[in-house]
Amino acid sequence: MSWTNGRPEPEIIVNFADGFSYNKTRLEEFFRSGFLDKAYVKPSQGALPSGIKKEDIEVLMNEFDLPKPKAEKALTDAGGDLTKALIRLTEPRI
């Protein structure tokens, strides 16, 4: 550590071209804070509307080879009723 103006200057680990730098002291403080000890919480991709079951989504995905978003939309459009969703998916489109 070097001294400038009576204060110690932190040891710079990496200097980036855009001007950002990381110093050793701040990184050590971050790791000591216990941030990495906390369990990772996966953010939800948006909750399913009420009345829609995961099993119904899986049925549509498996039977019609639909991607998950399309199966969820079909069930949402049918008000969560699997039978109505199946009928709408099998109706001929004119």
Coordinates of all heavy atoms in Angstrom, one line a residue:
M1 N 0.8 -1.2 0.0 CA 0.0 0.0 0.0 C 0.9 1.2 0.0 O 1.8 1.3 0.8 CB -0.9 0.0 1.3 CG -2.3 0.1 1.0 SD -3.3 0.5 2.5 CE -4.2 -1.0 2.7
S2 N 0.6 2.2 -0.9 CA 1.3 3.4 -0.9 C 0.5 4.5 -0.2 O -0.7 4.4 0.0 CB 1.6 3.8 -2.3 OG 0.4 4.1 -3.0
W3 N 1.2 5.5 0.3 CA 0.6 6.6 1.0 C 0.6 7.9 0.1 O 1.6 8.3 -0.4 CB 1.4 6.9 2.3 CG 1.3 5.8 3.3 CD1 1.9 4.6 3.2 CD2 0.4 5.7 4.4 NE1 1.6 3.8 4.3 CE2 0.6 4.5 5.0 CE3 -0.5 6.6 4.9 CZ2 0.0 4.1 6.2 CZ3 -1.1 6.2 6.1 CH2 -0.9 5.0 6.7
T4 N -0.6 8.5 0.0 CA -0.7 9.8 -0.6 C -1.6 10.7 0.2 O -2.6 10.3 0.8 CB -1.4 9.7 -2.0 OG1 -2.6 9.0 -1.9 CG2 -0.5 8.9 -3.0
N5 N -1.1 11.9 0.4 CA -1.9 12.9 1.2 C -2.2 12.4 2.6 O -3.2 12.7 3.2 CB -3.2 13.3 0.6 CG -3.0 14.0 -0.8 OD1 -1.9 14.6 -1.0 ND2 -3.9 13.9 -1.7
G6 N -1.3 11.6 3.2 CA -1.5 11.1 4.5 C -2.4 10.0 4.7 O -2.7 9.5 5.8
R7 N -3.0 9.5 3.6 CA -4.0 8.4 3.6 C -3.4 7.2 2.8 O -2.8 7.5 1.8 CB -5.3 8.8 3.0 CG -6.1 9.9 3.8 CD -7.4 10.1 3.1 NE -7.3 10.2 1.7 CZ -7.8 11.1 1.0 NH1 -8.5 12.1 1.5 NH2 -7.7 11.1 -0.4
P8 N -3.7 6.0 3.3 CA -3.2 4.9 2.5 C -4.1 4.8 1.2 O -5.3 5.0 1.2 CB -3.4 3.7 3.4 CG -4.4 4.1 4.4 CD -4.3 5.6 4.5
E9 N -3.4 4.5 0.1 CA -4.1 4.3 -1.1 C -4.3 2.8 -1.3 O -3.4 2.0 -1.1 CB -3.3 4.8 -2.3 CG -4.0 4.9 -3.6 CD -3.2 5.5 -4.7 OE1 -2.8 6.7 -4.5 OE2 -2.9 4.9 -5.7
P10 N -5.5 2.3 -1.7 CA -5.8 0.9 -1.8 C -5.0 0.3 -2.9 O -4.7 0.9 -3.9 CB -7.3 0.8 -2.0 CG -7.7 2.1 -2.6 CD -6.7 3.1 -2.0
E11 N -4.8 -1.0 -2.8 CA -4.1 -1.7 -3.8 C -5.1 -2.0 -5.0 O -6.1 -2.7 -4.7 CB -3.5 -3.1 -3.3 CG -2.9 -3.9 -4.3 CD -2.4 -5.3 -3.8 OE1 -2.5 -5.4 -2.5 OE2 -2.1 -6.1 -4.6
I12 N -4.8 -1.6 -6.1 CA -5.7 -1.8 -7.3 C -5.4 -3.1 -7.9 O -4.3 -3.4 -8.2 CB -5.5 -0.7 -8.3 CG1 -5.8 0.7 -7.8 CG2 -6.4 -0.9 -9.5 CD1 -7.2 0.9 -7.3
I13 N -6.4 -3.9 -8.0 CA -6.3 -5.3 -8.6 C -6.4 -5.2 -10.1 O -5.6 -5.8 -10.8 CB -7.3 -6.2 -8.0 CG1 -7.1 -6.4 -6.5 CG2 -7.3 -7.6 -8.7 CD1 -8.1 -7.2 -5.8
V14 N -7.4 -4.5 -10.6 CA -7.6 -4.5 -12.0 C -8.1 -3.1 -12.4 O -9.0 -2.5 -11.8 CB -8.8 -5.5 -12.5 CG1 -9.0 -5.4 -13.9 CG2 -8.4 -6.9 -12.1
N15 N -7.5 -2.5 -13.5 CA -8.0 -1.3 -14.1 C -8.6 -1.6 -15.4 O -8.0 -2.3 -16.2 CB -6.8 -0.3 -14.3 CG -6.4 0.4 -13.1 OD1 -7.2 0.7 -12.2 ND2 -5.1 0.6 -12.9
F16 N -9.8 -1.1 -15.6 CA -10.5 -1.4 -16.9 C -10.4 -0.2 -17.8 O -10.2 1.0 -17.3 CB -12.0 -1.7 -16.6 CG -12.1 -3.0 -15.9 CD1 -12.3 -3.1 -14.5 CD2 -12.1 -4.2 -16.6 CE1 -12.4 -4.3 -13.9 CE2 -12.3 -5.4 -16.0 CZ -12.4 -5.5 -14.6
A17 N -10.6 -0.4 -19.1 CA -10.5 0.7 -20.1 C -11.5 1.8 -19.8 O -11.3 3.0 -20.2 CB -10.6 0.1 -21.5
D18 N -12.7 1.4 -19.3 CA -13.7 2.5 -19.1 C -13.5 3.2 -17.8 O -14.4 4.0 -17.4 CB -15.1 1.8 -19.1 CG -15.3 0.7 -18.1 OD1 -14.3 0.5 -17.3 OD2 -16.3 0.1 -18.1
G19 N -12.4 3.0 -17.1 CA -12.1 3.8 -15.9 C -12.5 3.1 -14.6 O -12.1 3.6 -13.5
F20 N -13.2 2.0 -14.6 CA -13.5 1.3 -13.4 C -12.3 0.5 -12.9 O -11.5 0.1 -13.6 CB -14.7 0.4 -13.6 CG -16.0 1.1 -13.7 CD1 -16.6 1.2 -15.0 CD2 -16.7 1.8 -12.7 CE1 -17.8 1.9 -15.2 CE2 -17.8 2.4 -12.8 CZ -18.4 2.5 -14.1
S21 N -12.2 0.4 -11.6 CA -11.2 -0.4 -11.0 C -11.7 -1.1 -9.7 O -12.7 -0.6 -9.1 CB -10.0 0.5 -10.6 OG -10.3 1.4 -9.7
Y22 N -11.1 -2.2 -9.4 CA -11.5 -2.9 -8.2 C -10.3 -2.9 -7.3 O -9.2 -3.3 -7.7 CB -11.9 -4.3 -8.5 CG -13.2 -4.4 -9.3 CD1 -13.2 -4.5 -10.7 CD2 -14.4 -4.3 -8.7 CE1 -14.3 -4.5 -11.4 CE2 -15.6 -4.3 -9.4 CZ -15.5 -4.4 -10.8 OH -16.7 -4.4 -11.5
N23 N -10.5 -2.5 -6.0 CA -9.4 -2.5 -5.1 C -9.6 -3.7 -4.1 O -10.6 -4.2 -3.9 CB -9.2 -1.2 -4.3 CG -10.4 -0.9 -3.4 OD1 -10.7 -1.7 -2.6 ND2 -10.9 0.3 -3.5
K24 N -8.4 -4.2 -3.6 CA -8.4 -5.3 -2.8 C -9.2 -5.2 -1.5 O -9.9 -6.1 -1.1 CB -6.9 -5.7 -2.5 CG -6.7 -6.9 -1.7 CD -5.2 -7.2 -1.5 CE -5.0 -8.5 -0.8 NZ -3.6 -8.8 -0.6
T25 N -9.1 -4.0 -0.9 CA -9.8 -3.8 0.4 C -11.3 -3.9 0.2 O -12.0 -4.6 1.0 CB -9.5 -2.4 0.9 OG1 -8.1 -2.2 1.0 CG2 -10.1 -2.2 2.3
R26 N -11.9 -3.3 -0.8 CA -13.3 -3.4 -1.0 C -13.8 -4.8 -1.3 O -14.8 -5.3 -0.9 CB -13.8 -2.5 -2.1 CG -13.7 -1.0 -1.6 CD -14.2 0.0 -2.5 NE -15.7 -0.2 -2.5 CZ -16.5 0.4 -3.5 NH1 -16.0 1.1 -4.4 NH2 -17.8 0.2 -3.4
L27 N -13.0 -5.6 -2.1 CA -13.3 -6.9 -2.4 C -13.3 -7.8 -1.1 O -14.2 -8.6 -0.9 CB -12.4 -7.5 -3.5 CG -12.6 -7.1 -4.9 CD1 -11.5 -7.6 -5.8 CD2 -14.0 -7.5 -5.4
E28 N -12.3 -7.6 -0.3 CA -12.2 -8.4 0.9 C -13.4 -8.1 1.8 O -14.0 -9.0 2.5 CB -10.9 -8.1 1.7 CG -9.7 -8.7 1.0 CD -8.4 -8.2 1.6 OE1 -8.4 -7.3 2.5 OE2 -7.3 -8.8 1.3
E29 N -13.8 -6.8 1.9 CA -15.0 -6.4 2.7 C -16.2 -7.1 2.2 O -17.1 -7.5 3.0 CB -15.1 -4.9 2.7 CG -14.1 -4.2 3.6 CD -14.2 -2.7 3.4 OE1 -15.1 -2.2 2.7 OE2 -13.3 -2.0 3.9
F30 N -16.3 -7.1 0.9 CA -17.5 -7.8 0.3 C -17.6 -9.2 0.7 O -18.7 -9.7 1.0 CB -17.5 -7.6 -1.2 CG -18.5 -8.3 -2.0 CD1 -19.8 -7.8 -2.0 CD2 -18.3 -9.5 -2.6 CE1 -20.8 -8.4 -2.6 CE2 -19.3 -10.1 -3.3 CZ -20.6 -9.6 -3.3
F31 N -16.5 -9.9 0.5 CA -16.5 -11.4 0.8 C -16.7 -11.6 2.3 O -17.3 -12.6 2.7 CB -15.2 -12.0 0.4 CG -15.2 -12.2 -1.1 CD1 -14.3 -11.5 -1.9 CD2 -16.0 -13.1 -1.7 CE1 -14.3 -11.7 -3.3 CE2 -16.0 -13.3 -3.1 CZ -15.2 -12.6 -3.9
R32 N -16.2 -10.7 3.2 CA -16.4 -10.9 4.6 C -17.8 -10.6 5.0 O -18.3 -11.0 6.1 CB -15.5 -10.0 5.4 CG -14.1 -10.6 5.6 CD -13.3 -9.8 6.6 NE -12.1 -9.4 5.9 CZ -11.6 -8.2 5.7 NH1 -12.3 -7.2 6.1 NH2 -10.5 -8.0 5.0
S33 N -18.6 -9.8 4.2 CA -19.9 -9.4 4.6 C -20.9 -10.6 4.6 O -22.0 -10.5 5.1 CB -20.5 -8.4 3.6 OG -20.7 -9.0 2.3
G34 N -20.5 -11.8 4.0 CA -21.3 -13.0 4.1 C -22.3 -13.0 2.9 O -23.2 -13.8 2.9
F35 N -22.1 -12.2 1.9 CA -23.0 -12.2 0.8 C -23.1 -13.5 0.1 O -24.2 -14.0 -0.3 CB -22.5 -11.1 -0.2 CG -23.4 -11.0 -1.5 CD1 -24.6 -10.4 -1.5 CD2 -22.9 -11.6 -2.7 CE1 -25.4 -10.4 -2.6 CE2 -23.7 -11.6 -3.8 CZ -24.9 -11.0 -3.8
L36 N -22.0 -14.2 0.0 CA -22.0 -15.5 -0.7 C -22.5 -16.6 0.1 O -22.8 -17.7 -0.4 CB -20.5 -15.8 -1.2 CG -19.9 -14.9 -2.2 CD1 -18.5 -15.3 -2.5 CD2 -20.7 -14.8 -3.5
D37 N -22.7 -16.4 1.4 CA -23.3 -17.4 2.3 C -24.8 -17.5 2.2 O -25.4 -18.5 2.6 CB -22.9 -17.1 3.8 CG -21.4 -17.2 4.0 OD1 -20.7 -17.9 3.2 OD2 -20.9 -16.6 4.9
K38 N -25.4 -16.4 1.7 CA -26.9 -16.4 1.6 C -27.3 -17.4 0.4 O -26.6 -17.5 -0.6 CB -27.3 -15.0 1.3 CG -27.0 -14.0 2.4 CD -27.4 -12.6 2.0 CE -27.0 -11.6 3.0 NZ -27.2 -10.3 2.6
A39 N -28.4 -18.0 0.7 CA -29.0 -18.9 -0.3 C -29.5 -18.1 -1.5 O -30.1 -17.1 -1.4 CB -30.1 -19.8 0.3
Y40 N -29.3 -18.7 -2.7 CA -29.7 -18.0 -3.9 C -31.2 -18.2 -4.1 O -31.7 -19.4 -4.0 CB -29.0 -18.6 -5.1 CG -29.5 -18.0 -6.5 CD1 -29.3 -16.7 -6.9 CD2 -30.3 -18.8 -7.3 CE1 -29.7 -16.2 -8.0 CE2 -30.8 -18.4 -8.5 CZ -30.5 -17.1 -8.9 OH -31.0 -16.6 -10.0
V41 N -32.0 -17.2 -4.3 CA -33.4 -17.3 -4.5 C -33.7 -17.0 -6.0 O -33.4 -15.9 -6.5 CB -34.2 -16.2 -3.6 CG1 -35.7 -16.3 -3.9 CG2 -33.8 -16.5 -2.1
K42 N -34.2 -18.0 -6.6 CA -34.5 -17.8 -8.1 C -35.7 -16.9 -8.2 O -36.8 -17.1 -7.7 CB -34.8 -19.2 -8.7 CG -34.9 -19.1 -10.2 CD -35.1 -20.5 -10.7 CE -35.3 -20.5 -12.2 NZ -35.5 -21.8 -12.8
P43 N -35.6 -15.8 -9.0 CA -36.7 -15.0 -9.3 C -37.8 -15.7 -10.0 O -37.5 -16.5 -10.9 CB -36.1 -13.8 -10.1 CG -34.9 -14.3 -10.7 CD -34.4 -15.4 -9.8
S44 N -39.0 -15.4 -9.6 CA -40.1 -16.1 -10.3 C -40.3 -15.5 -11.7 O -40.1 -14.3 -11.9 CB -41.4 -15.9 -9.5 OG -41.8 -14.6 -9.4
Q45 N -40.7 -16.4 -12.6 CA -40.9 -16.0 -14.0 C -42.3 -15.4 -14.2 O -42.8 -15.3 -15.3 CB -40.7 -17.2 -14.9 CG -39.3 -17.7 -14.9 CD -38.4 -16.8 -15.7 OE1 -38.8 -16.2 -16.7 NE2 -37.1 -16.8 -15.3
G46 N -43.0 -15.0 -13.1 CA -44.4 -14.6 -13.2 C -45.2 -15.7 -12.7 O -45.2 -16.9 -13.2
A47 N -46.0 -15.5 -11.7 CA -46.9 -16.5 -11.2 C -48.0 -16.9 -12.1 O -48.4 -16.1 -12.9 CB -47.5 -16.0 -9.9
L48 N -48.4 -18.1 -12.1 CA -49.5 -18.6 -12.9 C -50.8 -17.9 -12.4 O -51.0 -17.8 -11.2 CB -49.6 -20.1 -12.8 CG -48.5 -20.9 -13.5 CD1 -48.7 -22.4 -13.2 CD2 -48.4 -20.6 -14.9
P49 N -51.7 -17.6 -13.3 CA -53.0 -17.1 -12.9 C -53.7 -18.1 -12.1 O -53.5 -19.3 -12.3 CB -53.7 -16.8 -14.2 CG -52.6 -16.7 -15.2 CD -51.5 -17.6 -14.8
S50 N -54.6 -17.7 -11.2 CA -55.3 -18.6 -10.3 C -56.2 -19.5 -11.2 O -56.7 -19.1 -12.2 CB -56.1 -17.8 -9.3 OG -57.1 -17.1 -10.0
G51 N -56.3 -20.7 -10.8 CA -57.1 -21.7 -11.5 C -56.3 -22.5 -12.5 O -56.9 -23.4 -13.2
I52 N -55.1 -22.2 -12.8 CA -54.3 -22.9 -13.7 C -53.3 -23.8 -13.0 O -52.6 -23.4 -12.1 CB -53.5 -22.0 -14.7 CG1 -54.5 -21.2 -15.5 CG2 -52.6 -22.8 -15.6 CD1 -53.8 -20.2 -16.5
K53 N -53.4 -25.1 -13.3 CA -52.5 -26.1 -12.6 C -51.3 -26.5 -13.5 O -51.4 -26.5 -14.7 CB -53.3 -27.4 -12.4 CG -54.5 -27.1 -11.5 CD -55.3 -28.4 -11.4 CE -56.6 -28.2 -10.6 NZ -57.5 -29.4 -10.6
K54 N -50.2 -26.8 -12.8 CA -49.0 -27.1 -13.6 C -49.2 -28.4 -14.3 O -48.7 -28.6 -15.4 CB -47.8 -27.3 -12.6 CG -47.3 -26.0 -12.0 CD -46.1 -26.3 -11.2 CE -45.6 -25.0 -10.6 NZ -44.4 -25.1 -9.8
E55 N -50.0 -29.3 -13.8 CA -50.3 -30.6 -14.5 C -51.0 -30.4 -15.8 O -50.8 -31.0 -16.8 CB -51.2 -31.5 -13.6 CG -50.5 -31.9 -12.3 CD -50.7 -30.9 -11.2 OE1 -51.6 -30.1 -11.3 OE2 -49.9 -31.0 -10.2
D56 N -52.0 -29.4 -15.8 CA -52.7 -29.1 -17.1 C -51.7 -28.5 -18.1 O -51.8 -28.9 -19.3 CB -53.8 -28.1 -16.8 CG -54.9 -28.6 -15.9 OD1 -54.9 -29.9 -15.7 OD2 -55.7 -27.8 -15.4
I57 N -50.8 -27.7 -17.7 CA -49.8 -27.2 -18.6 C -48.9 -28.3 -19.2 O -48.7 -28.4 -20.4 CB -48.9 -26.1 -17.9 CG1 -49.7 -24.9 -17.5 CG2 -47.7 -25.7 -18.8 CD1 -49.0 -23.9 -16.6
E58 N -48.6 -29.2 -18.3 CA -47.7 -30.4 -18.8 C -48.5 -31.2 -19.8 O -47.9 -31.8 -20.7 CB -47.3 -31.2 -17.6 CG -46.2 -30.5 -16.8 CD -45.8 -31.2 -15.5 OE1 -46.2 -32.4 -15.4 OE2 -45.1 -30.6 -14.7
V59 N -49.8 -31.4 -19.6 CA -50.6 -32.2 -20.5 C -50.6 -31.6 -21.9 O -50.4 -32.2 -22.9 CB -52.1 -32.3 -20.0 CG1 -53.0 -32.9 -21.1 CG2 -52.1 -33.2 -18.7
L60 N -50.9 -30.3 -21.9 CA -50.9 -29.6 -23.2 C -49.5 -29.6 -23.9 O -49.4 -29.8 -25.1 CB -51.3 -28.1 -23.0 CG -52.8 -27.9 -22.7 CD1 -53.0 -26.4 -22.5 CD2 -53.7 -28.5 -23.7
M61 N -48.4 -29.5 -23.1 CA -47.1 -29.5 -23.6 C -46.8 -30.9 -24.2 O -46.2 -31.0 -25.3 CB -46.1 -29.1 -22.5 CG -46.1 -27.7 -22.1 SD -45.0 -27.3 -20.7 CE -43.5 -28.0 -21.2
N62 N -47.2 -31.9 -23.5 CA -46.9 -33.3 -24.0 C -47.7 -33.7 -25.1 O -47.3 -34.4 -26.1 CB -47.0 -34.3 -22.8 CG -45.9 -34.0 -21.8 OD1 -44.8 -33.6 -22.1 ND2 -46.2 -34.4 -20.5
E63 N -49.0 -33.4 -25.1 CA -50.0 -33.9 -26.1 C -49.9 -33.2 -27.4 O -50.1 -33.7 -28.5 CB -51.4 -33.9 -25.6 CG -51.7 -34.8 -24.4 CD -51.4 -36.3 -24.7 OE1 -51.8 -36.7 -25.9 OE2 -50.9 -37.0 -23.9
F64 N -49.6 -31.9 -27.3 CA -49.6 -31.1 -28.5 C -48.2 -30.5 -28.9 O -48.1 -29.8 -29.8 CB -50.5 -29.8 -28.4 CG -52.0 -30.2 -28.3 CD1 -52.6 -30.4 -27.1 CD2 -52.7 -30.5 -29.5 CE1 -54.0 -30.8 -27.0 CE2 -54.0 -30.8 -29.4 CZ -54.7 -31.0 -28.2
D65 N -47.2 -31.0 -28.2 CA -45.8 -30.5 -28.4 C -45.8 -29.0 -28.4 O -45.1 -28.4 -29.3 CB -45.2 -31.1 -29.7 CG -44.9 -32.6 -29.6 OD1 -44.6 -33.0 -28.5 OD2 -45.0 -33.3 -30.6
L66 N -46.4 -28.4 -27.5 CA -46.4 -26.9 -27.4 C -45.3 -26.5 -26.4 O -45.0 -27.1 -25.5 CB -47.8 -26.4 -26.8 CG -49.0 -26.6 -27.6 CD1 -50.2 -26.1 -26.9 CD2 -48.9 -25.7 -28.9
P67 N -44.7 -25.3 -26.7 CA -43.8 -24.7 -25.7 C -44.6 -24.3 -24.5 O -45.8 -24.0 -24.6 CB -43.1 -23.6 -26.5 CG -43.9 -23.4 -27.7 CD -44.8 -24.6 -27.9
K68 N -44.0 -24.1 -23.4 CA -44.7 -23.8 -22.1 C -45.4 -22.5 -22.2 O -46.6 -22.4 -21.8 CB -43.6 -23.8 -21.0 CG -44.3 -23.6 -19.6 CD -43.3 -23.7 -18.5 CE -44.0 -23.6 -17.2 NZ -43.1 -23.9 -16.1
P69 N -44.9 -21.4 -22.8 CA -45.6 -20.2 -22.9 C -47.0 -20.3 -23.7 O -48.0 -19.7 -23.3 CB -44.7 -19.2 -23.5 CG -43.3 -19.7 -23.3 CD -43.5 -21.2 -23.3
K70 N -46.9 -21.1 -24.8 CA -48.1 -21.2 -25.5 C -49.2 -22.1 -24.8 O -50.4 -21.8 -24.9 CB -47.8 -21.9 -26.9 CG -47.1 -20.9 -27.8 CD -47.0 -21.5 -29.2 CE -46.3 -20.5 -30.1 NZ -46.3 -21.0 -31.5
A71 N -48.7 -23.1 -24.1 CA -49.6 -23.9 -23.3 C -50.3 -23.1 -22.2 O -51.5 -23.2 -21.9 CB -48.9 -25.1 -22.7
E72 N -49.5 -22.2 -21.5 CA -50.0 -21.3 -20.5 C -51.0 -20.4 -21.1 O -52.1 -20.1 -20.5 CB -48.9 -20.6 -19.8 CG -48.0 -21.4 -18.9 CD -46.8 -20.6 -18.4 OE1 -46.6 -19.5 -18.8 OE2 -46.1 -21.2 -17.5
K73 N -50.7 -19.8 -22.3 CA -51.7 -18.9 -22.9 C -53.0 -19.6 -23.3 O -54.0 -19.0 -23.1 CB -51.0 -18.3 -24.1 CG -51.9 -17.2 -24.8 CD -51.2 -16.5 -25.9 CE -52.0 -15.5 -26.6 NZ -53.4 -15.4 -26.5
A74 N -52.9 -20.8 -23.8 CA -54.1 -21.5 -24.1 C -55.0 -21.8 -22.9 O -56.2 -21.6 -23.0 CB -53.7 -22.9 -24.8
L75 N -54.3 -22.1 -21.8 CA -55.1 -22.3 -20.6 C -55.7 -21.0 -20.0 O -56.8 -21.0 -19.5 CB -54.3 -23.0 -19.5 CG -54.2 -24.5 -19.6 CD1 -53.1 -25.1 -18.7 CD2 -55.5 -25.2 -19.3
T76 N -54.9 -19.9 -20.1 CA -55.4 -18.6 -19.7 C -56.6 -18.2 -20.5 O -57.5 -17.7 -19.9 CB -54.2 -17.6 -19.7 OG1 -53.1 -18.1 -19.0 CG2 -54.7 -16.3 -19.2
D77 N -56.5 -18.4 -21.8 CA -57.6 -18.0 -22.7 C -58.8 -18.8 -22.4 O -59.9 -18.3 -22.6 CB -57.2 -18.1 -24.2 CG -56.1 -17.1 -24.6 OD1 -55.9 -16.2 -23.8 OD2 -55.5 -17.3 -25.6
A78 N -58.6 -20.0 -21.9 CA -59.8 -20.9 -21.6 C -60.2 -20.8 -20.2 O -61.1 -21.5 -19.7 CB -59.4 -22.4 -21.9
G79 N -59.7 -19.8 -19.5 CA -60.1 -19.6 -18.1 C -59.6 -20.7 -17.1 O -60.2 -20.9 -16.1
G80 N -58.6 -21.4 -17.5 CA -58.0 -22.4 -16.6 C -58.7 -23.8 -16.8 O -58.3 -24.7 -16.1
D81 N -59.6 -23.9 -17.7 CA -60.3 -25.1 -18.0 C -59.6 -25.9 -19.0 O -59.5 -25.5 -20.2 CB -61.8 -24.8 -18.4 CG -62.6 -26.1 -18.5 OD1 -62.1 -27.2 -18.2 OD2 -63.8 -26.0 -19.0
L82 N -59.1 -27.1 -18.6 CA -58.3 -27.9 -19.5 C -59.1 -28.4 -20.7 O -58.7 -28.4 -21.9 CB -57.7 -29.1 -18.8 CG -56.9 -30.1 -19.6 CD1 -55.7 -29.4 -20.2 CD2 -56.4 -31.2 -18.8
T83 N -60.4 -28.8 -20.5 CA -61.3 -29.3 -21.5 C -61.5 -28.2 -22.6 O -61.4 -28.5 -23.8 CB -62.6 -29.7 -20.9 OG1 -62.4 -30.6 -19.9 CG2 -63.5 -30.4 -22.0
K84 N -61.8 -27.0 -22.2 CA -62.0 -25.9 -23.2 C -60.7 -25.6 -23.9 O -60.7 -25.4 -25.1 CB -62.4 -24.6 -22.4 CG -63.9 -24.7 -22.0 CD -64.2 -23.4 -21.3 CE -65.6 -23.4 -20.7 NZ -65.9 -22.2 -20.0
A85 N -59.6 -25.7 -23.3 CA -58.3 -25.4 -23.9 C -58.0 -26.5 -25.0 O -57.6 -26.2 -26.1 CB -57.1 -25.4 -22.9
L86 N -58.3 -27.8 -24.6 CA -58.1 -28.9 -25.6 C -59.0 -28.7 -26.8 O -58.6 -28.9 -27.9 CB -58.4 -30.2 -24.9 CG -57.4 -30.7 -23.9 CD1 -57.9 -31.9 -23.1 CD2 -56.1 -31.0 -24.6
I87 N -60.3 -28.3 -26.6 CA -61.2 -28.1 -27.7 C -60.8 -27.0 -28.6 O -60.8 -27.1 -29.8 CB -62.6 -27.8 -27.1 CG1 -63.2 -29.1 -26.5 CG2 -63.6 -27.4 -28.2 CD1 -64.5 -28.9 -25.7
R88 N -60.3 -25.9 -28.0 CA -59.9 -24.7 -28.8 C -58.6 -25.1 -29.6 O -58.5 -24.6 -30.7 CB -59.6 -23.5 -27.9 CG -60.8 -22.9 -27.4 CD -60.5 -21.7 -26.6 NE -61.7 -21.1 -26.0 CZ -61.7 -20.1 -25.2 NH1 -60.6 -19.5 -24.8 NH2 -62.8 -19.6 -24.7
L89 N -57.8 -25.9 -29.0 CA -56.5 -26.3 -29.8 C -56.8 -27.3 -30.9 O -56.1 -27.3 -31.9 CB -55.5 -26.9 -28.8 CG -54.8 -25.9 -27.9 CD1 -54.0 -26.6 -26.8 CD2 -54.0 -24.9 -28.6
T90 N -57.9 -28.0 -30.8 CA -58.2 -29.0 -31.8 C -59.2 -28.5 -32.9 O -59.4 -29.2 -33.9 CB -58.8 -30.3 -31.2 OG1 -59.9 -30.0 -30.4 CG2 -57.7 -31.0 -30.4
E91 N -59.9 -27.4 -32.6 CA -60.8 -26.8 -33.6 C -60.1 -26.4 -34.9 O -59.0 -25.8 -34.8 CB -61.5 -25.6 -33.0 CG -62.5 -25.9 -32.0 CD -63.2 -24.7 -31.4 OE1 -62.6 -23.6 -31.6 OE2 -64.3 -24.8 -30.8
P92 N -60.7 -26.7 -36.0 CA -60.0 -26.2 -37.3 C -60.1 -24.7 -37.4 O -61.1 -24.1 -37.0 CB -60.8 -26.9 -38.4 CG -62.1 -27.3 -37.7 CD -61.9 -27.4 -36.3
R93 N -59.1 -24.1 -37.9 CA -59.1 -22.6 -38.0 C -59.4 -22.3 -39.5 O -58.9 -22.8 -40.4 CB -57.7 -22.1 -37.7 CG -57.4 -22.3 -36.2 CD -56.1 -21.7 -35.9 NE -55.8 -22.1 -34.5 CZ -54.6 -21.9 -33.9 NH1 -53.6 -21.3 -34.6 NH2 -54.4 -22.2 -32.7
I94 N -60.4 -21.4 -39.6 CA -60.8 -21.0 -41.0 C -60.3 -19.7 -41.3 O -60.1 -18.8 -40.6 CB -62.3 -21.0 -41.0 CG1 -62.9 -22.4 -40.8 CG2 -62.8 -20.5 -42.4 CD1 -64.3 -22.5 -40.7

